[in-house]
Amino acid sequence: MTGGAGFVGSHLVDLLVAEGHEVVVLDLCLPDAHDRRPDYLNPAAEYVWGDCADAGLVADAARGCEAVSHQAAMVGLGVDFADVGTYCRHNDLGTAGLLGALHDQGFRGRLVLASSMVVYGEGRYACPTHGTTPAPPRRVDDLDRGRWEPRCPRCDAPLAPDTVPEDAPADPRNVYAATKLHQEHLVACFEREHPGTTAIALRYHNVYGPRMPRDTPYAGVASIFRSALERGEAPRLFEDGGQRRDFVHVHDVARANRAALTAPVPASRAFNVASGSPHTVGEMAGALAAAFGPDAPGPEVVGGYRLGDVRHVVASPERAADELGYRATVGFDEGMREFAAAPLR
C-alpha cells in the first residue's frame, strides 16, 4: 500500500491487519502532510520509507504481493497554481513510477487507486427547459456579482444539481483534479496491457474523520473548519455556504477499499465512494460548530470564491452497493459529533 501512513491509508492498514492480511506500506511522509512519522502507525504492518517514483523501493516493497492499494497523493486545491509542478511530480510521476516497477515485476493482481470525485468537475445538472446539461465553467463576472449557481449554456437559466453516476464525463477544473484523472488513465493503461490484472478506481467524495491533517492548505474543508473551531474562530464560508457535497467518514472509505481489494467484480471500473446523503458546506460547518458546544462560534459567510472550486458535486453510490456490496454506515450527525473530538494529525 502506498501512502499507508496517511489519513485514509492508515485506517485501511488497521482494517486489513485486523482481518489477517500481511501489509507492506510504502510512504514518503511528505512534509506538507506530516511534520514527523505518525504515532498511530500499526506495528503489525511493515513500513518502507521513500518515494513511489523510486523503482527500487517499489520493487522491494511489492515483491510477492497479491494486491496493490495506491493511496499516495497530494490532495486538496493547495495554495495556488504555483503548486502545479509539485502535484504532477507526486501524483502523476509517482503513479508512473509505481506502475513501471509493477510492470518490471510482472505483477498480476488487484490494483486499487484512490481517485476522487474532483474528476467530474461540476457535478450533474438539469435545466428546466433543456434537461440534463453539462455545466460550463462558472463565469468570473457571475462570481464577482455573487451569482453562484451554474447556468445553462443554452438559455442561461440556473441549473438544478443532480447525482453524478460513474459514467458521467470527466471534466477536471483544477490542477489536483487533472492529476487524479491522469492517475486513472495510467492505471487503466496498465490494466489493459497486463492480462490478469483488475484495476479499480475509487472516487472518494469529501472524506473526514480522525487523523486528518490540521492547519494546512492541503487538508479538506472539514479539517480546515475543525482547526478554526479549535482556535476559537468561526468557520469561514466562501460563496454563500450553499455548495453541496457528500461527506463520507474515513471508516467507511476504508471499508470501501477493503471491498475493492477483495470482492469479485465484473470488470475494471470506477466506483463512487460516498454516503449518499449530501449536505451543504454551511450545514457541515454548522453541525461541527454545534458539536463543539454552545460557546463555539457559528459559521461566518465571508463571500468570495476560488476559481478552482466547483459549486455542487454529489454522487450516486449505487454501483458500489450493487457490485462491491459496499454502503456507508456512519451517519452525518454521528460522524460530525465524533470528528469534533477526534485526534487530528
Side-chain angles (χ1 to χ4, degrees), residues 88-181:
C88 290
R89 153 85 174 81
H90 291 290
N91 296 0
D92 296 340
L93 292 179
T95 300
L98 169 70
L99 297 176
L102 294 178
H103 168 77
D104 290 343
Q105 280 195 354
F107 172 78
R108 299 291 188 274
R110 184 67 56 88
L111 175 57
V112 176
L113 169 69
S115 187
S116 172
M117 54 85 176
V118 295
V119 303
Y120 298 122
E122 285 287 352
R124 194 179 201 185
Y125 290 84
C127 171
T129 302
H130 299 105
T132 299
T133 303
R138 294 185 290 171
R139 299 188 296 249
V140 171
D141 59 334
D142 281 341
L143 296 173
D144 287 340
R145 293 157 57 191
R147 298 175 70 188
W148 309 122
E149 298 298 332
R151 308 184 79 80
C152 177
R154 298 171 65 183
C155 68
D156 204 42
L159 295 172
D162 198 358
T163 54
V164 186
E166 288 87 349
D167 57 2
D171 186 16
R173 300 281 172 99
N174 56 60
V175 168
Y176 171 58
T179 64
K180 296 309 289 184
L181 183 59

Side-chain angles (χ1 to χ4, degrees), residues 319-342:
R319 178 184 286 180
D322 293 343
E323 298 183 15
L324 297 181
Y326 162 79
R327 282 195 185 275
T329 60
V330 180
F332 177 77
D333 292 332
E334 171 196 355
M336 287 298 159
R337 285 193 300 269
E338 182 215 51
F339 182 52

Side-chain angles (χ1 to χ4, degrees), residues 180-198:
K180 296 309 289 184
L181 183 59
H182 192 209
Q183 284 185 308
E184 287 197 18
H185 289 165
L186 290 171
V187 167
C189 289
F190 182 90
E191 184 271 334
R192 280 194 295 271
E193 296 191 26
H194 296 80
T197 297
T198 303

Side-chain angles (χ1 to χ4, degrees), residues 1-295:
M1 182 190 307
T2 70
F7 172 37
V8 174
S10 66
H11 286 280
L12 178 56
V13 170
D14 289 345
L15 181 59
L16 293 175
V17 164
E19 294 184 347
H21 298 283
E22 297 178 40
V23 181
V24 180
V25 170
L26 175 63
D27 199 300
L28 182 58
C29 265
L30 189 67
D32 286 325
H34 302 270
D35 60 359
R36 57 185 170 81
R37 289 182 186 171
D39 56 9
Y40 52 68
L41 298 179
N42 194 309
E46 178 184 345
Y47 290 86
V48 178
W49 302 107
D51 196 331
C52 295
D54 186 326
L57 278 180
V58 174
D60 288 342
R63 185 168 291 113
C65 70
E66 297 173 331
V68 173
S69 171
H70 185 29
Q71 303 289 327
M74 283 189 67
V75 300
L77 284 183
V79 177
D80 57 31
F81 196 83
D83 284 328
V84 60
T86 307
Y87 273 95
C88 290
R89 153 85 174 81
H90 291 290
N91 296 0
D92 296 340
L93 292 179
T95 300
L98 169 70
L99 297 176
L102 294 178
H103 168 77
D104 290 343
Q105 280 195 354
F107 172 78
R108 299 291 188 274
R110 184 67 56 88
L111 175 57
V112 176
L113 169 69
S115 187
S116 172
M117 54 85 176
V118 295
V119 303
Y120 298 122
E122 285 287 352
R124 194 179 201 185
Y125 290 84
C127 171
T129 302
H130 299 105
T132 299
T133 303
R138 294 185 290 171
R139 299 188 296 249
V140 171
D141 59 334
D142 281 341
L143 296 173
D144 287 340
R145 293 157 57 191
R147 298 175 70 188
W148 309 122
E149 298 298 332
R151 308 184 79 80
C152 177
R154 298 171 65 183
C155 68
D156 204 42
L159 295 172
D162 198 358
T163 54
V164 186
E166 288 87 349
D167 57 2
D171 186 16
R173 300 281 172 99
N174 56 60
V175 168
Y176 171 58
T179 64
K180 296 309 289 184
L181 183 59
H182 192 209
Q183 284 185 308
E184 287 197 18
H185 289 165
L186 290 171
V187 167
C189 289
F190 182 90
E191 184 271 334
R192 280 194 295 271
E193 296 191 26
H194 296 80
T197 297
T198 303
I200 294 174
L202 297 180
R203 292 173 177 167
Y204 300 168
H205 284 249
N206 286 64
V207 189
Y208 71 97
R211 304 177 187 169
M212 286 190 86
R214 71 172 81 233
D215 296 325
T216 164
Y218 305 98
V221 65
S223 175
I224 292 169
F225 289 171
R226 158 73 192 273
S227 296
L229 287 162
E230 282 192 320
R231 296 191 299 268
E233 300 171 3
R236 293 163 57 87
L237 305 178
F238 288 138
E239 302 184 16
D240 60 357
Q243 307 95 313
R244 292 174 76 239
R245 299 290 188 269
D246 189 308
F247 297 96
V248 58
H249 196 277
V250 68
H251 292 161
D252 283 327
V253 177
R255 289 178 48 250
N257 274 276
R258 186 264 311 276
L261 286 165
T262 59
V265 292
S268 299
R269 59 201 308 166
F271 294 91
N272 287 321
V273 177
S275 73
S277 299
H279 291 81
T280 68
V281 172
E283 289 170 344
M284 185 273 289
L288 198 53
F292 263 76
D295 296 329

